[in-house]
Amino acid sequence: MGFLDHTTNNVIIDAVLTERGRELLARNDGSFRIDSFAFGDDEIDYSNIVKYGLNIGKEKIEKNTPIFEAQTNENLALKYNNITLSNSNLRILYVPTLQKIAPAIPTISLTLNTSNTSVVFQTIEVISTLPKESGQTLIDSNLADLSFEVKMNSLILSVYNSGLADTSRVIDEDENFVKTYRIDGTPSYSSLAAPNDFSLSNRYKLSFDVGLISNLNTTGFEQFGTLTSTTVNNVTVLNGTINTYIEIVGLSSGARLLIPVEITLN
Amino acid sequence: MTVARLKTLDPTDRRSEKARLNQLIDIISSDISTEANRRKYPAFVSGITTPITSSLHNTIFDQDHTLQSSNALFDISFGVYAKTQITNNTSTITGSAVVTELNGTIDSAGKYNFSNTTSNMMREKINVYRQYAQSLLGDSGSVFRSSHTETDASTDNTTKIQEALFINVKRLFKRDNIAKGTFGMKFYNRTGDRNELTNDDAHALSGTLFTSPQTTGFKGRSKLISTSAEDPVFNQVTILDTNASTSYSVNPVSGEVSTLKMYLGSALPVNVGLIFYDMGVIVLDVNKIFDLNDAVQGVINFPDEIASTKIFALKGGEQSVNLPAGQKAIGHTTDTGANLKKFLQLATVDDIIKHFCEARFTDTSNTAITFQNETIINSTIFFCNAAASDFNYSTNPTYIDANGKIVIVKNITDQPFSYITTVGLYNNAGDLLAVAKLSRPIEKNPNNQLTIRVRLDY
C-alpha cells in the first residue's frame, strides 16, 4: 500500500451551484454560462507567517487550516480573492485597499424622523488606493478598480441617485435581501487630502449616496435593531437603533471595505 | 477591462462527461405490512344501504404516512386482464379466469357488466390493467407476459400475466431508473394454515387473508414444493431479475424490461413477472407468485351486505362471529370453496392490497424489497489553470497590515505567494454561479503552475 502523491498539482473537486447560479439556470435565457474562474483563500490567516516565520507559518497554514464546506449564497461563498498582476515579472509590496474618504467619521449615521418623511441620505466616497509609503505612482492596471460593487441590506438601506432610489445599477438581490449595486468609479489621479495627498495613476474613486428606504418604520427597528419606548408626562417616545454594514468591493482588485452604519429613530 | 481576480476559461478548458451513480435501496418488510404506512385514496364508492369505498391504488410509506417526515416508497395496485372477443357478431369477455368465471355481459356501448353479488370493482380492476398495458406495452388491450422475450403475438397461454400486481417505485427511490440485475424481493407465496389460528373473533375476522405469516404457528405453505412443509422461512420465495444485466429487451414504449424469476428452495426458478427499469414498474403474476386455488378465509368489505353471523373453522374448533352490515365473510364453514380467485373477484382493490401487504410480509425489519437505483449525472469539468504568474497575491485582510503592506514578504525581491482554498465559477457578467472548495490549502507562487479540475454536476 502506497501513499498518495501529494506533489501532484492536478486535483478534481466538486462545485455546487450558488443561489444566483440556480436563479440564472432557471431563467433559461443563456445567462447561465460559465465564462471565467477565480480563486479565493477565505479560510487562510496569513498572520501565521508573521507570528511563526515563513517556514513554520506555512506549515501551520497548510496543516492546521480546515476548509469550510462551500456556501451557496453568492455573497458569502468567495470573499477574498487571489489576484494576478498584469506584469508577470512585477513584484509588489503593497496591494490596493479601499479607503473611505467621506464622510470623515468612521460610522455613517442616518436618522429616521417619524414626523418628517423626506428621505435622508449620505454621500459616501471611497478610493481604491495604495498607501503613500509604498512609493508607487501607479496601481497595476489589473488592479485598477474602474467599477465597484456595493452591497447592503435592502430592507433598510438603498443607494440613491438624484434623490431617488437607484434601481438601474442593481445587479443582484440574494435570499437575505442583500442588494448588490455595480457603480463605476471616476479617475482620481491627483492628490487628495492626507494621507492620500500624492499623485497615483489608476486610482479610482467611488461616490454614491446611501439612504434609508422610504418605508422603513418601527417594525424595521424591532426586526433588525432595538426599539424602546419611554413615557414622559404621558407622552410616549420611541427610540431605536439599527447597526448594519455596507460592503464595498473593488471589482478588479477584489479589495473589500466594510463601512458601519448606525441608524437611529428620532 | 482586465480584472485581477478573474481568469477567462478557454473552450479547451472545459469538458463534458456522463456518469452513473448507484444507490442501494432496502425496503424492510414491516414498512409494507404496517397499515399506518399505507395511504389510501378512496376514489371508488359502491352500494346504497351500506356503501363502501376503495382506492384504485395505495401508496406505501416508510413510516406512518400522516407524518411529515415520511417518504413514499412505492405505489401498489391490482388489475386483471380482460378483452372483448367478437365471434360471429357475438361479443364475449375473455381473459383472466377471475373475470370470465363471472359470466359478465357487454352492453351496446362496450361496457362490461358483472353481478354485484359475486364481484366487486371488476371494471376498475380491468381498467387498472389496461392503463398499465397502455403505458408499458403501448396498447391497452395487450397482455403482459412473464418473459420479456415474448410479445403480444405469442400463442403461449401459460406466459400470460392475467392477474397482475403492479408496483411503481417512487421517483425519490427509483431516481432515473432501477439498475438492471439488482432487484430482489422476498415474501410468502401462500397464505397460512387456518387450522393454526386460535379461536377468537380477531383471528376469525382476519382469517388467512389478513394475518401476518409470522403469527405463531401460522405457517405459510409451499406452492412450488409439493410437500406441505411448514417451515415459515422455507416457504418464503425470492424474486430476482436474474441475468438482467445481460438479458433484457428495450421496448420503445417503456424502455428496458426484463423477466423476474421466483426461487423457492432447490426448485427450478419460475418466470413470474416483468420489471420495467426505466419506468420503475414491477408487474407480478398473481397466479404464479401466489396460488389462485389457495383456500382463504376472512372478512372483507362488501357493499350492501346485511349484518350476519358466520362460523369459521379455527384451530380449536368452530368460532362464531357477528359481522356488521357492509362486511362479507368468505371461507366460513358454509363457504368451503372459497379460494384466492374468489377473493380477487369479491374484494376491493384496498382489500387485495391489504392482503398482499399483511399476509405476505412479516412485521419484521428484514429486507423485503431491494434494488439499486441509477442517477445519470451529466458533468462539466472546468480546468482552472493558474499559470506561474497568476494568483500569487491575495486580498485576504490578513495578507496586509494596517498600512496596506503585504505581510508575507519583507523585501521587493522576496517571492510572493498565496493560498487557494476556494474556486469560484463566474459568467461574463461577473455573477458567481458555482463554488468549489479544496480539501486543504494549496500554495500558489511564481514557481508553480497548477490546474484545479472543478466538476459541476447537473
Side-chain angles (χ1 to χ4, degrees), chain A residues 16-22 24 32 36 38 71-79 172, chain B residues 6 422-427 429-436:
Chain A
V16 293
L17 291 176
T18 60
E19 289 155 13
R20 179 68 169 165
R22 279 179 265 163
L24 296 187
F32 184 92
S36 53
Q71 296 288 330
T72 55
N73 184 313
E74 63 273 15
N75 286 325
L76 310 176
L78 199 164
K79 289 195 276 289
D172 182 34
Chain B
L6 292 178
T422 310
V423 185
L425 301 174
Y426 293 79
N427 64 4
D431 295 313
L432 178 57
L433 303 180
V435 63

PDB file of all heavy atoms in Angstrom, chain A residues 16-22 24 32 36 38 71-79 172, chain B residues 6 422-427 429-436:
ATOM      1  N   VAL A  16     -20.675  23.376  -6.314  1.00  0.00           N
ATOM      2  CA  VAL A  16     -22.123  23.471  -6.093  1.00  0.00           C
ATOM      3  C   VAL A  16     -22.607  24.788  -6.671  1.00  0.00           C
ATOM      4  O   VAL A  16     -21.883  25.785  -6.655  1.00  0.00           O
ATOM      5  CB  VAL A  16     -22.496  23.396  -4.593  1.00  0.00           C
ATOM      6  CG1 VAL A  16     -22.188  22.031  -4.023  1.00  0.00           C
ATOM      7  CG2 VAL A  16     -21.789  24.462  -3.793  1.00  0.00           C
ATOM      8  N   LEU A  17     -23.824  24.766  -7.180  1.00  0.00           N
ATOM      9  CA  LEU A  17     -24.377  25.998  -7.731  1.00  0.00           C
ATOM     10  C   LEU A  17     -24.704  26.959  -6.592  1.00  0.00           C
ATOM     11  O   LEU A  17     -25.191  26.545  -5.540  1.00  0.00           O
ATOM     12  CB  LEU A  17     -25.655  25.703  -8.517  1.00  0.00           C
ATOM     13  CG  LEU A  17     -25.497  24.934  -9.834  1.00  0.00           C
ATOM     14  CD1 LEU A  17     -26.859  24.639 -10.424  1.00  0.00           C
ATOM     15  CD2 LEU A  17     -24.656  25.707 -10.818  1.00  0.00           C
ATOM     16  N   THR A  18     -24.459  28.216  -6.832  1.00  0.00           N
ATOM     17  CA  THR A  18     -24.889  29.224  -5.864  1.00  0.00           C
ATOM     18  C   THR A  18     -26.368  29.524  -6.109  1.00  0.00           C
ATOM     19  O   THR A  18     -26.941  29.104  -7.123  1.00  0.00           O
ATOM     20  CB  THR A  18     -24.089  30.521  -6.036  1.00  0.00           C
ATOM     21  OG1 THR A  18     -24.313  31.013  -7.361  1.00  0.00           O
ATOM     22  CG2 THR A  18     -22.606  30.288  -5.809  1.00  0.00           C
ATOM     23  N   GLU A  19     -26.962  30.255  -5.170  1.00  0.00           N
ATOM     24  CA  GLU A  19     -28.368  30.631  -5.370  1.00  0.00           C
ATOM     25  C   GLU A  19     -28.511  31.450  -6.644  1.00  0.00           C
ATOM     26  O   GLU A  19     -29.479  31.300  -7.395  1.00  0.00           O
ATOM     27  CB  GLU A  19     -28.859  31.425  -4.165  1.00  0.00           C
ATOM     28  CG  GLU A  19     -29.013  30.561  -2.917  1.00  0.00           C
ATOM     29  CD  GLU A  19     -28.912  31.364  -1.624  1.00  0.00           C
ATOM     30  OE1 GLU A  19     -28.959  32.604  -1.681  1.00  0.00           O
ATOM     31  OE2 GLU A  19     -28.774  30.742  -0.560  1.00  0.00           O
ATOM     32  N   ARG A  20     -27.537  32.316  -6.905  1.00  0.00           N
ATOM     33  CA  ARG A  20     -27.557  33.117  -8.130  1.00  0.00           C
ATOM     34  C   ARG A  20     -27.422  32.214  -9.358  1.00  0.00           C
ATOM     35  O   ARG A  20     -28.095  32.420 -10.364  1.00  0.00           O
ATOM     36  CB  ARG A  20     -26.409  34.123  -8.076  1.00  0.00           C
ATOM     37  CG  ARG A  20     -26.291  35.020  -9.306  1.00  0.00           C
ATOM     38  CD  ARG A  20     -27.452  35.968  -9.418  1.00  0.00           C
ATOM     39  NE  ARG A  20     -27.232  36.990 -10.432  1.00  0.00           N
ATOM     40  CZ  ARG A  20     -28.203  37.760 -10.921  1.00  0.00           C
ATOM     41  NH1 ARG A  20     -29.438  37.624 -10.491  1.00  0.00           N
ATOM     42  NH2 ARG A  20     -27.947  38.662 -11.826  1.00  0.00           N
ATOM     43  N   GLY A  21     -26.560  31.206  -9.243  1.00  0.00           N
ATOM     44  CA  GLY A  21     -26.395  30.269 -10.345  1.00  0.00           C
ATOM     45  C   GLY A  21     -27.683  29.540 -10.649  1.00  0.00           C
ATOM     46  O   GLY A  21     -28.081  29.397 -11.813  1.00  0.00           O
ATOM     47  N   ARG A  22     -28.374  29.102  -9.596  1.00  0.00           N
ATOM     48  CA  ARG A  22     -29.651  28.404  -9.803  1.00  0.00           C
ATOM     49  C   ARG A  22     -30.689  29.337 -10.399  1.00  0.00           C
ATOM     50  O   ARG A  22     -31.484  28.933 -11.245  1.00  0.00           O
ATOM     51  CB  ARG A  22     -30.148  27.826  -8.480  1.00  0.00           C
ATOM     52  CG  ARG A  22     -29.474  26.514  -8.124  1.00  0.00           C
ATOM     53  CD  ARG A  22     -29.985  25.992  -6.807  1.00  0.00           C
ATOM     54  NE  ARG A  22     -29.113  26.407  -5.718  1.00  0.00           N
ATOM     55  CZ  ARG A  22     -29.451  26.397  -4.442  1.00  0.00           C
ATOM     56  NH1 ARG A  22     -30.643  26.009  -4.095  1.00  0.00           N
ATOM     57  NH2 ARG A  22     -28.601  26.756  -3.514  1.00  0.00           N
ATOM     58  N   LEU A  24     -30.161  31.921 -12.367  1.00  0.00           N
ATOM     59  CA  LEU A  24     -29.891  32.157 -13.786  1.00  0.00           C
ATOM     60  C   LEU A  24     -30.134  30.896 -14.612  1.00  0.00           C
ATOM     61  O   LEU A  24     -30.585  30.974 -15.746  1.00  0.00           O
ATOM     62  CB  LEU A  24     -28.451  32.645 -13.973  1.00  0.00           C
ATOM     63  CG  LEU A  24     -28.119  33.991 -13.324  1.00  0.00           C
ATOM     64  CD1 LEU A  24     -26.717  34.444 -13.713  1.00  0.00           C
ATOM     65  CD2 LEU A  24     -29.124  35.064 -13.724  1.00  0.00           C
ATOM     66  N   PHE A  32     -26.869  31.720 -17.831  1.00  0.00           N
ATOM     67  CA  PHE A  32     -26.028  30.773 -17.099  1.00  0.00           C
ATOM     68  C   PHE A  32     -25.012  30.206 -18.076  1.00  0.00           C
ATOM     69  O   PHE A  32     -25.288  29.244 -18.790  1.00  0.00           O
ATOM     70  CB  PHE A  32     -26.863  29.650 -16.483  1.00  0.00           C
ATOM     71  CG  PHE A  32     -26.037  28.705 -15.641  1.00  0.00           C
ATOM     72  CD1 PHE A  32     -25.898  28.915 -14.292  1.00  0.00           C
ATOM     73  CD2 PHE A  32     -25.367  27.630 -16.214  1.00  0.00           C
ATOM     74  CE1 PHE A  32     -25.111  28.075 -13.516  1.00  0.00           C
ATOM     75  CE2 PHE A  32     -24.586  26.780 -15.450  1.00  0.00           C
ATOM     76  CZ  PHE A  32     -24.467  27.006 -14.102  1.00  0.00           C
ATOM     77  N   SER A  36     -15.583  32.285 -16.688  1.00  0.00           N
ATOM     78  CA  SER A  36     -14.290  32.564 -16.064  1.00  0.00           C
ATOM     79  C   SER A  36     -14.273  31.977 -14.649  1.00  0.00           C
ATOM     80  O   SER A  36     -15.306  31.521 -14.147  1.00  0.00           O
ATOM     81  CB  SER A  36     -14.031  34.072 -16.015  1.00  0.00           C
ATOM     82  OG  SER A  36     -15.114  34.728 -15.412  1.00  0.00           O
ATOM     83  N   ALA A  38     -12.276  32.193 -10.553  1.00  0.00           N
ATOM     84  CA  ALA A  38     -11.465  32.950  -9.601  1.00  0.00           C
ATOM     85  C   ALA A  38     -11.076  32.014  -8.474  1.00  0.00           C
ATOM     86  O   ALA A  38     -11.759  31.022  -8.214  1.00  0.00           O
ATOM     87  CB  ALA A  38     -12.257  34.129  -9.052  1.00  0.00           C
ATOM     88  N   GLN A  71     -20.367  27.517   0.528  1.00  0.00           N
ATOM     89  CA  GLN A  71     -21.613  28.248   0.802  1.00  0.00           C
ATOM     90  C   GLN A  71     -22.327  28.468  -0.521  1.00  0.00           C
ATOM     91  O   GLN A  71     -21.683  28.690  -1.547  1.00  0.00           O
ATOM     92  CB  GLN A  71     -21.300  29.611   1.430  1.00  0.00           C
ATOM     93  CG  GLN A  71     -20.631  29.551   2.774  1.00  0.00           C
ATOM     94  CD  GLN A  71     -21.568  29.089   3.858  1.00  0.00           C
ATOM     95  OE1 GLN A  71     -22.760  29.327   3.789  1.00  0.00           O
ATOM     96  NE2 GLN A  71     -21.040  28.405   4.852  1.00  0.00           N
ATOM     97  N   THR A  72     -23.639  28.440  -0.489  1.00  0.00           N
ATOM     98  CA  THR A  72     -24.366  28.637  -1.747  1.00  0.00           C
ATOM     99  C   THR A  72     -24.844  30.074  -1.922  1.00  0.00           C
ATOM    100  O   THR A  72     -25.355  30.411  -2.987  1.00  0.00           O
ATOM    101  CB  THR A  72     -25.583  27.693  -1.827  1.00  0.00           C
ATOM    102  OG1 THR A  72     -26.388  27.897  -0.672  1.00  0.00           O
ATOM    103  CG2 THR A  72     -25.150  26.243  -1.897  1.00  0.00           C
ATOM    104  N   ASN A  73     -24.697  30.882  -0.896  1.00  0.00           N
ATOM    105  CA  ASN A  73     -25.042  32.293  -1.063  1.00  0.00           C
ATOM    106  C   ASN A  73     -23.887  32.970  -1.797  1.00  0.00           C
ATOM    107  O   ASN A  73     -22.750  32.961  -1.324  1.00  0.00           O
ATOM    108  CB  ASN A  73     -25.277  32.943   0.304  1.00  0.00           C
ATOM    109  CG  ASN A  73     -25.726  34.389   0.187  1.00  0.00           C
ATOM    110  OD1 ASN A  73     -25.151  35.179  -0.549  1.00  0.00           O
ATOM    111  ND2 ASN A  73     -26.771  34.729   0.916  1.00  0.00           N
ATOM    112  N   GLU A  74     -24.190  33.553  -2.943  1.00  0.00           N
ATOM    113  CA  GLU A  74     -23.134  34.103  -3.792  1.00  0.00           C
ATOM    114  C   GLU A  74     -22.358  35.231  -3.118  1.00  0.00           C
ATOM    115  O   GLU A  74     -21.220  35.517  -3.493  1.00  0.00           O
ATOM    116  CB  GLU A  74     -23.714  34.590  -5.127  1.00  0.00           C
ATOM    117  CG  GLU A  74     -24.730  35.723  -5.047  1.00  0.00           C
ATOM    118  CD  GLU A  74     -26.155  35.217  -4.841  1.00  0.00           C
ATOM    119  OE1 GLU A  74     -26.310  34.037  -4.487  1.00  0.00           O
ATOM    120  OE2 GLU A  74     -27.097  36.013  -5.045  1.00  0.00           O
ATOM    121  N   ASN A  75     -22.965  35.861  -2.123  1.00  0.00           N
ATOM    122  CA  ASN A  75     -22.262  36.942  -1.434  1.00  0.00           C
ATOM    123  C   ASN A  75     -21.328  36.436  -0.346  1.00  0.00           C
ATOM    124  O   ASN A  75     -20.495  37.175   0.151  1.00  0.00           O
ATOM    125  CB  ASN A  75     -23.274  37.915  -0.812  1.00  0.00           C
ATOM    126  CG  ASN A  75     -23.933  38.780  -1.868  1.00  0.00           C
ATOM    127  OD1 ASN A  75     -23.298  39.151  -2.854  1.00  0.00           O
ATOM    128  ND2 ASN A  75     -25.204  39.080  -1.687  1.00  0.00           N
ATOM    129  N   LEU A  76     -21.506  35.185   0.046  1.00  0.00           N
ATOM    130  CA  LEU A  76     -20.715  34.632   1.143  1.00  0.00           C
ATOM    131  C   LEU A  76     -19.730  33.569   0.676  1.00  0.00           C
ATOM    132  O   LEU A  76     -18.840  33.172   1.415  1.00  0.00           O
ATOM    133  CB  LEU A  76     -21.649  34.004   2.197  1.00  0.00           C
ATOM    134  CG  LEU A  76     -22.821  34.860   2.681  1.00  0.00           C
ATOM    135  CD1 LEU A  76     -23.689  34.064   3.635  1.00  0.00           C
ATOM    136  CD2 LEU A  76     -22.306  36.122   3.357  1.00  0.00           C
ATOM    137  N   ALA A  77     -19.908  33.096  -0.553  1.00  0.00           N
ATOM    138  CA  ALA A  77     -19.178  31.909  -0.999  1.00  0.00           C
ATOM    139  C   ALA A  77     -17.695  32.170  -1.228  1.00  0.00           C
ATOM    140  O   ALA A  77     -16.867  31.298  -1.001  1.00  0.00           O
ATOM    141  CB  ALA A  77     -19.817  31.356  -2.271  1.00  0.00           C
ATOM    142  N   LEU A  78     -17.360  33.322  -1.725  1.00  0.00           N
ATOM    143  CA  LEU A  78     -15.955  33.603  -2.028  1.00  0.00           C
ATOM    144  C   LEU A  78     -15.710  35.075  -1.717  1.00  0.00           C
ATOM    145  O   LEU A  78     -16.127  35.951  -2.476  1.00  0.00           O
ATOM    146  CB  LEU A  78     -15.653  33.284  -3.494  1.00  0.00           C
ATOM    147  CG  LEU A  78     -14.191  33.094  -3.890  1.00  0.00           C
ATOM    148  CD1 LEU A  78     -14.088  32.405  -5.244  1.00  0.00           C
ATOM    149  CD2 LEU A  78     -13.412  34.379  -3.910  1.00  0.00           C
ATOM    150  N   LYS A  79     -15.070  35.305  -0.585  1.00  0.00           N
ATOM    151  CA  LYS A  79     -14.937  36.704  -0.145  1.00  0.00           C
ATOM    152  C   LYS A  79     -13.578  37.310  -0.491  1.00  0.00           C
ATOM    153  O   LYS A  79     -13.497  38.465  -0.869  1.00  0.00           O
ATOM    154  CB  LYS A  79     -15.178  36.774   1.370  1.00  0.00           C
ATOM    155  CG  LYS A  79     -16.634  36.532   1.751  1.00  0.00           C
ATOM    156  CD  LYS A  79     -16.921  36.945   3.172  1.00  0.00           C
ATOM    157  CE  LYS A  79     -16.549  35.855   4.152  1.00  0.00           C
ATOM    158  NZ  LYS A  79     -17.442  34.686   4.112  1.00  0.00           N
ATOM    159  N   ASP A 172     -27.963  42.318  -8.354  1.00  0.00           N
ATOM    160  CA  ASP A 172     -28.341  41.079  -7.665  1.00  0.00           C
ATOM    161  C   ASP A 172     -29.038  41.428  -6.359  1.00  0.00           C
ATOM    162  O   ASP A 172     -28.761  42.461  -5.740  1.00  0.00           O
ATOM    163  CB  ASP A 172     -27.085  40.240  -7.373  1.00  0.00           C
ATOM    164  CG  ASP A 172     -27.402  38.915  -6.693  1.00  0.00           C
ATOM    165  OD1 ASP A 172     -28.462  38.343  -7.008  1.00  0.00           O
ATOM    166  OD2 ASP A 172     -26.598  38.458  -5.857  1.00  0.00           O
TER     167      ASP A 172
ATOM    168  N   LEU B   6     -10.206  37.558 -11.810  1.00  0.00           N
ATOM    169  CA  LEU B   6     -10.857  36.586 -12.679  1.00  0.00           C
ATOM    170  C   LEU B   6      -9.947  36.180 -13.823  1.00  0.00           C
ATOM    171  O   LEU B   6      -9.153  36.984 -14.309  1.00  0.00           O
ATOM    172  CB  LEU B   6     -12.141  37.179 -13.283  1.00  0.00           C
ATOM    173  CG  LEU B   6     -13.306  37.444 -12.341  1.00  0.00           C
ATOM    174  CD1 LEU B   6     -14.459  38.068 -13.101  1.00  0.00           C
ATOM    175  CD2 LEU B   6     -13.757  36.157 -11.679  1.00  0.00           C
ATOM    176  N   THR B 422     -10.552  27.985  -2.344  1.00  0.00           N
ATOM    177  CA  THR B 422     -11.880  28.086  -2.950  1.00  0.00           C
ATOM    178  C   THR B 422     -11.742  28.393  -4.435  1.00  0.00           C
ATOM    179  O   THR B 422     -10.840  29.140  -4.824  1.00  0.00           O
ATOM    180  CB  THR B 422     -12.671  29.238  -2.275  1.00  0.00           C
ATOM    181  OG1 THR B 422     -12.593  29.080  -0.856  1.00  0.00           O
ATOM    182  CG2 THR B 422     -14.127  29.245  -2.706  1.00  0.00           C
ATOM    183  N   VAL B 423     -12.636  27.808  -5.230  1.00  0.00           N
ATOM    184  CA  VAL B 423     -12.686  28.140  -6.653  1.00  0.00           C
ATOM    185  C   VAL B 423     -14.092  28.630  -6.964  1.00  0.00           C
ATOM    186  O   VAL B 423     -15.078  27.980  -6.616  1.00  0.00           O
ATOM    187  CB  VAL B 423     -12.371  26.912  -7.545  1.00  0.00           C
ATOM    188  CG1 VAL B 423     -12.320  27.312  -9.012  1.00  0.00           C
ATOM    189  CG2 VAL B 423     -11.069  26.266  -7.129  1.00  0.00           C
ATOM    190  N   GLY B 424     -14.182  29.786  -7.575  1.00  0.00           N
ATOM    191  CA  GLY B 424     -15.477  30.326  -7.985  1.00  0.00           C
ATOM    192  C   GLY B 424     -15.591  30.303  -9.493  1.00  0.00           C
ATOM    193  O   GLY B 424     -14.610  30.555 -10.203  1.00  0.00           O
ATOM    194  N   LEU B 425     -16.770  29.973  -9.974  1.00  0.00           N
ATOM    195  CA  LEU B 425     -17.027  29.962 -11.415  1.00  0.00           C
ATOM    196  C   LEU B 425     -18.021  31.079 -11.731  1.00  0.00           C
ATOM    197  O   LEU B 425     -19.075  31.173 -11.083  1.00  0.00           O
ATOM    198  CB  LEU B 425     -17.588  28.607 -11.857  1.00  0.00           C
ATOM    199  CG  LEU B 425     -16.686  27.395 -11.564  1.00  0.00           C
ATOM    200  CD1 LEU B 425     -17.410  26.095 -11.906  1.00  0.00           C
ATOM    201  CD2 LEU B 425     -15.373  27.487 -12.329  1.00  0.00           C
ATOM    202  N   TYR B 426     -17.697  31.903 -12.707  1.00  0.00           N
ATOM    203  CA  TYR B 426     -18.450  33.131 -12.987  1.00  0.00           C
ATOM    204  C   TYR B 426     -18.961  33.149 -14.419  1.00  0.00           C
ATOM    205  O   TYR B 426     -18.397  32.509 -15.308  1.00  0.00           O
ATOM    206  CB  TYR B 426     -17.551  34.356 -12.794  1.00  0.00           C
ATOM    207  CG  TYR B 426     -17.131  34.593 -11.367  1.00  0.00           C
ATOM    208  CD1 TYR B 426     -16.102  33.841 -10.796  1.00  0.00           C
ATOM    209  CD2 TYR B 426     -17.738  35.562 -10.586  1.00  0.00           C
ATOM    210  CE1 TYR B 426     -15.704  34.052  -9.478  1.00  0.00           C
ATOM    211  CE2 TYR B 426     -17.350  35.786  -9.268  1.00  0.00           C
ATOM    212  CZ  TYR B 426     -16.335  35.025  -8.725  1.00  0.00           C
ATOM    213  OH  TYR B 426     -15.948  35.231  -7.433  1.00  0.00           O
ATOM    214  N   ASN B 427     -20.033  33.938 -14.643  1.00  0.00           N
ATOM    215  CA  ASN B 427     -20.441  34.211 -16.022  1.00  0.00           C
ATOM    216  C   ASN B 427     -19.789  35.523 -16.456  1.00  0.00           C
ATOM    217  O   ASN B 427     -19.059  36.159 -15.696  1.00  0.00           O
ATOM    218  CB  ASN B 427     -21.971  34.238 -16.159  1.00  0.00           C
ATOM    219  CG  ASN B 427     -22.612  35.371 -15.371  1.00  0.00           C
ATOM    220  OD1 ASN B 427     -21.923  36.191 -14.785  1.00  0.00           O
ATOM    221  ND2 ASN B 427     -23.936  35.410 -15.364  1.00  0.00           N
ATOM    222  N   ALA B 429     -21.008  38.301 -16.812  1.00  0.00           N
ATOM    223  CA  ALA B 429     -21.493  39.486 -16.103  1.00  0.00           C
ATOM    224  C   ALA B 429     -20.879  39.590 -14.714  1.00  0.00           C
ATOM    225  O   ALA B 429     -21.194  40.503 -13.954  1.00  0.00           O
ATOM    226  CB  ALA B 429     -23.019  39.431 -16.001  1.00  0.00           C
ATOM    227  N   GLY B 430     -20.031  38.627 -14.377  1.00  0.00           N
ATOM    228  CA  GLY B 430     -19.384  38.661 -13.063  1.00  0.00           C
ATOM    229  C   GLY B 430     -20.204  38.034 -11.960  1.00  0.00           C
ATOM    230  O   GLY B 430     -19.874  38.185 -10.782  1.00  0.00           O
ATOM    231  N   ASP B 431     -21.272  37.324 -12.308  1.00  0.00           N
ATOM    232  CA  ASP B 431     -22.076  36.649 -11.284  1.00  0.00           C
ATOM    233  C   ASP B 431     -21.381  35.360 -10.869  1.00  0.00           C
ATOM    234  O   ASP B 431     -20.971  34.566 -11.729  1.00  0.00           O
ATOM    235  CB  ASP B 431     -23.469  36.289 -11.833  1.00  0.00           C
ATOM    236  CG  ASP B 431     -24.280  37.522 -12.159  1.00  0.00           C
ATOM    237  OD1 ASP B 431     -24.323  38.423 -11.322  1.00  0.00           O
ATOM    238  OD2 ASP B 431     -24.863  37.580 -13.262  1.00  0.00           O
ATOM    239  N   LEU B 432     -21.306  35.134  -9.579  1.00  0.00           N
ATOM    240  CA  LEU B 432     -20.731  33.884  -9.072  1.00  0.00           C
ATOM    241  C   LEU B 432     -21.792  32.793  -9.199  1.00  0.00           C
ATOM    242  O   LEU B 432     -22.802  32.805  -8.498  1.00  0.00           O
ATOM    243  CB  LEU B 432     -20.299  34.058  -7.611  1.00  0.00           C
ATOM    244  CG  LEU B 432     -19.721  32.831  -6.909  1.00  0.00           C
ATOM    245  CD1 LEU B 432     -18.521  32.278  -7.664  1.00  0.00           C
ATOM    246  CD2 LEU B 432     -19.317  33.173  -5.482  1.00  0.00           C
ATOM    247  N   LEU B 433     -21.577  31.852 -10.110  1.00  0.00           N
ATOM    248  CA  LEU B 433     -22.594  30.844 -10.423  1.00  0.00           C
ATOM    249  C   LEU B 433     -22.383  29.552  -9.643  1.00  0.00           C
ATOM    250  O   LEU B 433     -23.344  28.855  -9.337  1.00  0.00           O
ATOM    251  CB  LEU B 433     -22.583  30.532 -11.921  1.00  0.00           C
ATOM    252  CG  LEU B 433     -22.791  31.714 -12.865  1.00  0.00           C
ATOM    253  CD1 LEU B 433     -22.748  31.237 -14.311  1.00  0.00           C
ATOM    254  CD2 LEU B 433     -24.106  32.412 -12.591  1.00  0.00           C
ATOM    255  N   ALA B 434     -21.147  29.215  -9.373  1.00  0.00           N
ATOM    256  CA  ALA B 434     -20.868  27.953  -8.675  1.00  0.00           C
ATOM    257  C   ALA B 434     -19.588  28.121  -7.878  1.00  0.00           C
ATOM    258  O   ALA B 434     -18.739  28.958  -8.211  1.00  0.00           O
ATOM    259  CB  ALA B 434     -20.727  26.804  -9.667  1.00  0.00           C
ATOM    260  N   VAL B 435     -19.482  27.331  -6.839  1.00  0.00           N
ATOM    261  CA  VAL B 435     -18.311  27.449  -5.981  1.00  0.00           C
ATOM    262  C   VAL B 435     -17.853  26.053  -5.569  1.00  0.00           C
ATOM    263  O   VAL B 435     -18.670  25.157  -5.366  1.00  0.00           O
ATOM    264  CB  VAL B 435     -18.621  28.354  -4.763  1.00  0.00           C
ATOM    265  CG1 VAL B 435     -19.694  27.750  -3.889  1.00  0.00           C
ATOM    266  CG2 VAL B 435     -17.390  28.656  -3.950  1.00  0.00           C
ATOM    267  N   ALA B 436     -16.550  25.871  -5.493  1.00  0.00           N
ATOM    268  CA  ALA B 436     -15.982  24.579  -5.105  1.00  0.00           C
ATOM    269  C   ALA B 436     -14.897  24.820  -4.067  1.00  0.00           C
ATOM    270  O   ALA B 436     -14.258  25.872  -4.063  1.00  0.00           O
ATOM    271  CB  ALA B 436     -15.378  23.887  -6.325  1.00  0.00           C
TER     272      ALA B 436
END
